Amino acid sequence: MAGSSPGRRAKQNGTDLCPQGDRVQAYCELEHVLREGDSRPPCGVLNRLLAEVSQDLTAAQGVPDSVRMAASNVLVALARTHFTLVMAELQSHLKAMGEMSKEFVLVTLSKLFTSYAPQCISFVWLTLAGLRSVVGWVRGGRTLRIACAVVKQWLEGVKVHLCSGKQCPWPAKEIQQIYQNLSQLFCSVLRHWQDCKEEKDKQAVLGAVATMMAVLLQEELPREHVWEQLLWLVRLYQEVQDTCRGTKSLNIFLEALEGVQSVIPKDKFLAITSAVFYHLSDDTKEHSEADRAELTHCILLQGKERSSGNAWRCPGRNLSHKPPEWVRVSC
């Protein structure tokens, strides 16, 4: 946890490394020093440095973005010689609760992957678990888009390693943990980020969902988790009066599937079409214009899926009862 990270422990007894003057300039000079070939700060200085930089990186308010970015650059430079320690510090912030900004923690994770991808691969399962905690509290805006970008970036690296034919960097147990954490993150994203208002937020979520699906659909067991999540979305139609939220999630799922080389199994496809057509044609329910638009868009997306040649025909609008094909599955 954040309270036990090296930087935070040191901060209790440490002093401000730069109490006055231009912090951005100080960080820039420090970054330059840390990138020198023979630069390796001693342990005591290192802990105080982590404490100081982390405070600026995660401050909830009062610290300008220019200082946060400079602090982020210092951590990336420090990772050249102390990668594991820097990654542990970032992971602790990612999972921490309370008043803390995680935007530049995510930015730093992205920079680390760009500079040190091979070393980052060993921390994939921890990062996925940390990202899941971020999903629970962010609902839109720049932090959401950065989180989606980090998901895409790290999972693209996972795909490369899984498909390259090279020796796998993970033991079998860790691969299972990666898929498990990814499945949980996938479920969390669909459940929490279905109400995106801004188009750029929605596109960011779609990109993240598509990348997660591309990894999950490579293996049989995680592939089943994807289809179970699809049936969970259908289950929303059985258990709630307002189906608009479920339809939005279903649309995100189907739109993301367009970019993945996989086709919905026929039984799952029939469950979707039956559910959507039933609610669209149910005379006992009053649908808002927005709800009907979402349902119609969902049907159009299913039509695209059907055109792939591996989906059952749509059941039509003449449904007077809930279809028996609905399956209750929890994710």
Side-chain angles (χ1 to χ4, degrees), residues 297-312:
H297 181 50
C298 189
I299 292 171
L300 293 174
L301 290 172
Q302 292 170 63
K304 291 183 180 180
E305 176 67 16
R306 180 190 176 194
S307 67
S308 65
N310 194 28
W312 286 359

Side-chain angles (χ1 to χ4, degrees), residues 230-231 234 250 254 264 267-277 298 302 326:
L230 179 57
L231 289 177
V234 174
L250 192 55
L254 293 172
I264 301 174
D267 59 332
K268 275 75 173 180
F269 184 82
L270 182 57
I272 301 171
T273 54
S274 297
V276 174
F277 271 103
C298 189
Q302 292 170 63
W326 285 5

Side-chain angles (χ1 to χ4, degrees), residues 28 56 83 102 105 142 144 160-161 252 254 271 276 328:
C28 289
D56 281 340
F83 181 86
K102 300 188 181 183
V105 175
R142 190 168 67 172
L144 179 147
V160 169
H161 278 268
I252 288 176
L254 293 172
V276 174
R328 290 181 177 269

Side-chain angles (χ1 to χ4, degrees), residues 137-329:
W137 61 267
V138 64
R139 288 292 181 270
R142 190 168 67 172
T143 302
L144 179 147
R145 296 192 293 274
I146 293 172
C148 288
V150 171
V151 170
K152 287 186 62 177
Q153 181 187 35
W154 280 62
L155 289 182
E156 288 293 342
V158 171
K159 283 170 57 180
V160 169
H161 278 268
L162 289 176
C163 301
S164 64
K166 298 179 181 178
Q167 184 177 1
C168 184
W170 308 289
K173 185 176 181 180
E174 192 164 322
I175 291 179
Q176 182 180 6
Q177 188 69 55
I178 289 173
Y179 277 126
Q180 180 180 342
N181 287 349
L182 179 55
S183 295
Q184 293 171 348
L185 177 63
F186 180 74
C187 293
S188 296
V189 167
L190 281 177
R191 296 183 189 201
H192 287 94
W193 289 351
Q194 57 189 350
D195 290 331
C196 295
K197 300 294 191 297
E198 298 291 333
E199 180 62 25
K200 53 187 175 181
D201 289 353
K202 178 183 175 183
Q203 292 303 318
V205 172
L206 278 174
V209 169
T211 306
M212 287 187 282
M213 288 173 63
V215 175
L216 289 169
L217 292 173
Q218 290 185 77
E219 298 291 334
E220 183 175 353
L221 183 58
R223 187 184 306 135
E224 285 304 309
H225 291 163
V226 173
W227 304 136
E228 286 176 5
Q229 176 66 9
L230 179 57
L231 289 177
W232 175 84
L233 294 174
V234 174
R235 175 182 165 190
L236 286 178
Y237 288 89
Q238 295 171 279
E239 298 184 348
V240 298
Q241 287 297 111
D242 181 8
T243 61
C244 192
R245 284 172 58 86
T247 309
K248 287 179 180 179
S249 286
L250 192 55
N251 285 343
I252 288 176
F253 189 106
L254 293 172
E255 286 180 32
L257 193 63
E258 289 187 79
V260 178
Q261 296 301 314
S262 187
V263 179
I264 301 174
K266 294 178 180 178
D267 59 332
K268 275 75 173 180
F269 184 82
L270 182 57
I272 301 171
T273 54
S274 297
V276 174
F277 271 103
Y278 170 77
H279 278 283
L280 189 59
S281 59
D282 188 355
D283 294 333
T284 65
K285 297 190 178 211
E286 293 186 7
H287 296 293
S288 67
E289 287 299 318
D291 194 7
R292 293 185 70 86
E294 290 288 346
L295 286 165
T296 302
H297 181 50
C298 189
I299 292 171
L300 293 174
L301 290 172
Q302 292 170 63
K304 291 183 180 180
E305 176 67 16
R306 180 190 176 194
S307 67
S308 65
N310 194 28
W312 286 359
R313 64 181 179 83
C314 297
R317 296 177 58 91
N318 297 323
L319 295 172
S320 58
H321 57 83
K322 290 184 177 181
E325 292 86 357
W326 285 5
V327 183
R328 290 181 177 269
V329 179

